[in-house]
Amino acid sequence: MANVVVVGAQFGDEGKAKVTDLLAKNADIVVRYQGGNNAGHTVVVGEETYKFHLIPSGILYEGKTCVLGPGMVIDVKALLAEVAALKKRGLDDSRLKISSSAHVTMPYHLALDAAEEESRGASKIGTTKRGIGPTYADKCARSGIRMEDLLDKEVLKEKLEWIVPRKNVLLERMYNHPPFDPNAILQEYLGYAEEVRKYVCDTSDMIFTSIKNKKNILFEGAQGTLLDLDHGSYPYVTSSSPSAGGACTGTGLGPTTIDRVIGISKAYMTRVGEGPFPTEQEGAAGDMLRQTGKPWAEVGVTTGRPRRCGWFDTVIGRYSVRINGLDCLAITKLDVLDEFDEIQICVAYKDKVDGTIHKELPSIGAMFKRMEPVYKTFKGWKTPTYKITKFEDLPVEAKRYLDFIAEELDCPVAIVSVGPTRDKTIIIEDPIHGPKRILTHAVPQ
Ligand code: GDP
Ligand code: IMO
Ligand code: MG
C-alpha cells in the first residue's frame, strides 16, 4: 500500500470511519492523530454496527496494530469503557498502543468544558462536552497531564497538587462549581493507570521502525477540515488539527513519510454544533437529508444531537483540497440523494453587502456571515443507487453530479459510497496507487 491520511473535508461525520475500515484491510498500522472522544466513528460490517470514539476504526481487522497517537487527548475512563465493550464483542486489545505523550482528559476538564459553554450563552460553540478544549488548552499552557505522567505515581501526585487548586479557584469563583479533591482524583486515576499501562509506549518510534520495514500506515483523521483549530470556522472549531498537517505533528513523523491524502466528503453536507453553514437547509430539503429513522440518520454519534443538513458546497470543497493537499476524494452517502427531484450545489458565495462573488473561502472568518450561496441546480436521478458497484452503472444524472464536483474541486473522485457497509462502495480509481495529483508549482532545475 503506502502511508495514507484519511481526512474529513467538511465539518466532520463525513463517513471517515467507513473509508478507514475499507482501506485498513491493506494497512499494517492504523493511527488516530488528534482529537479525543468527541469523535463518533461508525463502521457497519454485515449486521454489526460499531461506534468508535477513541479507538481507531482499523481495529476490526485481525492483526492490525491500532495506535492512539501523541496528538490525541484521552479520557482514560471512557477509553477503558470502550475497550471493555469491544472485548465483550470478541475483539483483541493486545493490538492497541497508546502514545506516552498523549494528553489525559481529567474530570476538571469535563467540568470546565460544560461551565465555559454555559457561560458563553448565545455565543456557545456547541461542544460535545467531552473536555476536549480545556485538555488542549492545558497542553498548550504546559500544565497538562500526559500518559507518561499518569503512569508515575510521584509525578501524578505532584502535578495534581499544583493543578487542581488552580482549577478549583476558577471553577468555584467563576462558575460556582464544587471543588475537586486532588487526592481523590489521584487514587481514582492511579487505578486507571494500572489498567492502561500495558498499552502505553513510544508510538512514534514504533511507527518509524515499521515504515523502515516497509509496513503501511493509515492515518485516521477525526472531525473535519472546517473544524480545524487553525484553518476551520474559528471560533466554531474543535481544539486540535484534524487537517492533513495534523497527521505529522500528531504522530511524530515527518511530512516525507506521507504518500497520499484522501479527503472524505458527503455528497451533501452536515454540521453538529454552532457556527456558520452557508448551504444549511432548514425546511423540507434539510429534513429529507436528515433521513430520520434510518440507521444512517443524521444524528450525532457522540451526543445524539440532530445534525444540521445542507447542500454540497464547492467553496468549502476547494478550500479542503488546498488545506489538505488532497490527492483524491471519497464521496459518501450518494444514496441519500436518490429520491430528490432536484439537487443543489453551491458553486460560489455572493457577498450580501457589496454583491462580490467569491469562488474561494473568505480568509476572514467573520465574513462568513455576509455570504449567501450561489447555487447550480441538478436534476435528481430518482433511482436507488445502493446496489450499484460500478461507476458506469450509476444513473447519468449521478455521474454528472460527481463529475461536476471533481471538476469544480480540481480533484478526482476515487471512491463513491452508496451505503454504510463495505460492499456498498464504488471504486472509480485506486485511491492509493492511482495517478497522483500534481500541484502546479515551479520546480527549480
Ligand atoms: P465519521 O465520523 O466521519 O466516521 O462519520 P459518522 O460515523 O459520524 O457518520 C457517518 C454515518 O453515515 C454513519 O451512520 C455511517 O454508517 C453512515 N454511512 C457512511 N457511508 C454511507 C453511505 O454511503 N450511505 C449511507 N446511507 N450511510 C453511510
Ligand atoms: P467526527 O470525528 C462532528 C464539533 C462539535 C462542536 C465543535 C467543538 O465524528 O467527525 P469539541 O467537543 O470538539 O470541543 O466541539 O466541534 N465536533 C464534531 N462534529 N463530528 C465530530 O467528530 C466532531 N467532534 C467535534 O459539535 O461544534
Ligand atoms: Mg462522526
Side-chain angles (χ1 to χ4, degrees), residues 12-14 16 39-42 301 307:
D13 301 327
E14 297 90 346
K16 298 176 293 292
H41 294 173
T42 317
V301 177
R307 293 175 184 150

Side-chain angles (χ1 to χ4, degrees), residues 151-194:
L151 302 186
D152 184 324
K153 185 180 172 185
E154 289 314 312
V155 173
L156 184 62
K157 183 169 182 290
E158 194 183 313
K159 285 206 162 198
L160 287 172
E161 279 171 359
W162 181 74
I163 296 165
V164 177
R166 281 160 180 78
K167 298 295 175 196
N168 282 342
V169 171
L170 191 59
L171 281 163
E172 284 186 281
R173 295 207 195 149
M174 284 295 296
Y175 301 120
N176 204 19
H177 189 285
F180 285 95
D181 172 2
N183 193 41
I185 297 181
L186 178 69
Q187 296 314 321
E188 184 183 349
Y189 278 71
L190 284 175
Y192 301 144
E194 285 327 300

Side-chain angles (χ1 to χ4, degrees), residues 91-135:
L91 285 160
D92 145 38
D93 66 334
S94 68
R95 296 178 280 118
L96 204 59
K97 306 284 171 212
I98 304 176
S99 166
S100 49
S101 309
H103 278 248
V104 185
T105 295
M106 303 298 286
Y108 46 80
H109 292 133
L110 297 172
L112 280 166
D113 195 358
E116 283 167 9
E117 273 286 272
E118 171 117 28
S119 73
R120 284 176 193 266
S123 311
K124 70 174 183 197
I125 309 290
T127 76
T128 58
K129 301 211 175 117
R130 295 299 186 272
I132 305 299
T135 313

